[in-house]
Amino acid sequence: MPAQDFHPDGADGNTVTCEVLTKDQGSTEITVPICAWGDGNTGAAMTELTAATMTLDPAEVDLDKAAATAARVRSEMRKPI
């Protein structure tokens, strides 16, 4: 599945780009949804791997949900300590 751009709430107008990668792990293919963003001088990529997502057919991955999760993580990372 090709990379797609999203603009979820919490991304402060920035683009979150997500795609689905697959990896052969022995006789099993693992599905890996990954999202990335860049702003200013910072770039990050993240994936949320669960037993459920790793076994999905790549076409069944909800990239809107993955982008929303990435935006939430981005927002939490930018909070002052």
Side-chain angles (χ1 to χ4, degrees), residues 31-76:
T31 300
V32 182
I34 186 166
C35 295
W37 67 89
D39 52 353
N41 63 356
T42 304
M46 63 153 286
T47 186
E48 181 179 18
L49 290 178
T50 66
T53 59
M54 290 190 316
T55 58
L56 280 176
D57 181 289
E60 295 175 348
V61 174
D62 184 349
L63 288 180
D64 284 312
K65 182 178 176 185
T69 299
R72 188 182 77 244
V73 169
R74 178 191 174 277
S75 178
E76 291 171 7

Side-chain angles (χ1 to χ4, degrees), residues 3-6 15-19 34-37 67:
Q4 298 176 37
D5 290 339
F6 297 87
T15 300
V16 176
T17 303
C18 300
E19 66 181 314
I34 186 166
C35 295
W37 67 89

